[in-house]
Amino acid sequence: MTTPISPTAVLITGANRGLGRALATRFLLQPNTTLIAAVRDPEHPTSKALFDLPRGDGTTVIVVKIDSLSDTDAQDAVKTLQTDHGIHKLDIVVANAGHGTVFGDLSLVKPHEVRHLVDVNTIGPLCLFQAVRPLLEAGNRPRFVLIGTPIASIGAMENSPFPMFAYGASKAAAHYLTRKIHCESPGLISFVVDPGFMQTDMGNTGARHFGYEQAFVPVDKSADFVFDQIKKATREQTSGKFVTIDETREFNEW
């Protein structure tokens, strides 16, 4: 008798909008996949609409509540996955949820704005990783992926001179978190991927603030790039790295 292959289990935060939804769409088209869509409000129409997306053979979708501002949502979601859905391993976790529309250089930014973005963009992924780590360690080629940004680069800060200190600082700490996971968890693949200046609601808001009509990269192009990087990632070639869609940048330009 052939032992059935367990589904690939993928958890994506912020899965009902923008890049998160585009990635969810791509994973749902894969066969034998369990897509766990983490959203702030499971009752929102954009969350319920995830159940209507096309799916590959044997693929299912589960929606759970994870608000990046909650210290307990991720732990509660993992308990729900274990007790209600029998999920005891995760193969891919994408820390996609984030916030960035706070503008201003060091002379203008408000301390409370920085604290808020650190809570969302740094503490949120930290709580997520702490909750999912045991399930990732039981997964197949387990990958923890943070959606990052060159605005958070310290070594190449001059290449992204936008006055977005609050966002950049909060994501720089998240980049550090992701590389620290690589160093502390030798059994995991952990890396940051930059999808480019995307034409999402957040990206277009930022673009208009800086005088552009819209952001530069179509969401589908970003999603194809990120999806490909996740699928082919290895411990040897990808883990601990900052992978970027911008071909003019170094592969590991932190």
Side-chain angles (χ1 to χ4, degrees), residues 75-187:
Q75 293 284 355
D76 291 342
V78 166
K79 290 177 184 176
T80 297
L81 292 175
Q82 293 172 315
T83 59
D84 295 357
H85 301 282
I87 293 175
H88 299 286
K89 63 100 175 177
L90 290 169
D91 304 299
I92 299 168
V93 173
V94 183
N96 164 72
H99 181 57
T101 51
V102 173
F103 307 107
D105 59 22
L106 289 174
S107 64
L108 298 174
V109 70
K110 304 295 190 298
H112 75 269
E113 294 175 327
V114 181
R115 292 189 190 99
H116 175 70
L117 290 199
V118 168
D119 282 342
V120 173
N121 295 332
T122 307
I123 306 302
L126 171 64
C127 291
L128 176 67
F129 177 70
Q130 289 176 339
V132 302
R133 182 176 184 173
L135 274 64
L136 272 175
E137 290 177 340
N140 176 41
R141 197 160 57 90
R143 284 147 281 175
F144 183 88
V145 184
L146 177 85
I147 303 303
T149 171
I151 292 174
S153 174
I154 295 174
M157 189 177 295
E158 296 82 0
N159 295 333
S160 300
F162 298 104
M164 298 181 68
F165 169 77
Y167 180 61
S170 66
K171 294 297 279 190
H175 286 197
Y176 180 94
L177 162 72
T178 308
R179 194 158 198 269
K180 194 67 170 176
I181 293 169
H182 161 77
C183 294
E184 292 187 352
S185 303

Side-chain angles (χ1 to χ4, degrees), residues 11-240:
L11 186 152
I12 302 172
T13 62
N16 59 322
R17 298 178 62 189
L19 178 63
R21 188 181 189 278
L23 289 174
T25 299
R26 284 155 176 76
F27 279 109
L28 282 171
L29 290 173
Q30 302 296 299
N32 199 35
T33 298
T34 299
L35 188 280
I36 301 145
V39 299
R40 284 186 295 174
D41 180 8
E43 297 303 315
H44 194 276
T46 58
S47 301
K48 292 184 175 182
L50 293 168
F51 292 103
D52 299 326
L53 293 174
R55 307 181 200 176
D57 291 340
T59 290
T60 59
V61 60
I62 299 168
V63 174
V64 296
K65 179 181 182 296
I66 299 182
D67 187 328
S68 295
L69 288 173
S70 169
D71 289 347
T72 58
D73 271 6
Q75 293 284 355
D76 291 342
V78 166
K79 290 177 184 176
T80 297
L81 292 175
Q82 293 172 315
T83 59
D84 295 357
H85 301 282
I87 293 175
H88 299 286
K89 63 100 175 177
L90 290 169
D91 304 299
I92 299 168
V93 173
V94 183
N96 164 72
H99 181 57
T101 51
V102 173
F103 307 107
D105 59 22
L106 289 174
S107 64
L108 298 174
V109 70
K110 304 295 190 298
H112 75 269
E113 294 175 327
V114 181
R115 292 189 190 99
H116 175 70
L117 290 199
V118 168
D119 282 342
V120 173
N121 295 332
T122 307
I123 306 302
L126 171 64
C127 291
L128 176 67
F129 177 70
Q130 289 176 339
V132 302
R133 182 176 184 173
L135 274 64
L136 272 175
E137 290 177 340
N140 176 41
R141 197 160 57 90
R143 284 147 281 175
F144 183 88
V145 184
L146 177 85
I147 303 303
T149 171
I151 292 174
S153 174
I154 295 174
M157 189 177 295
E158 296 82 0
N159 295 333
S160 300
F162 298 104
M164 298 181 68
F165 169 77
Y167 180 61
S170 66
K171 294 297 279 190
H175 286 197
Y176 180 94
L177 162 72
T178 308
R179 194 158 198 269
K180 194 67 170 176
I181 293 169
H182 161 77
C183 294
E184 292 187 352
S185 303
L188 303 184
I189 300 166
S190 178
F191 66 100
V192 177
V193 58
D194 160 37
F197 192 6
M198 291 182 294
Q199 294 168 358
T200 59
D201 289 343
M202 187 175 80
N204 287 333
T205 297
R208 288 189 292 270
H209 179 84
F210 294 115
Y212 300 102
E213 182 178 345
Q214 63 180 356
F216 306 152
V217 185
V219 175
D220 281 339
K221 181 178 179 179
S222 292
D224 286 342
F225 174 77
V226 175
F227 182 75
D228 181 61
Q229 297 303 315
I230 293 171
K231 293 286 286 185
K232 70 183 185 182
T234 65
R235 175 75 186 180
E236 295 75 20
Q237 297 297 321
T238 318
S239 192

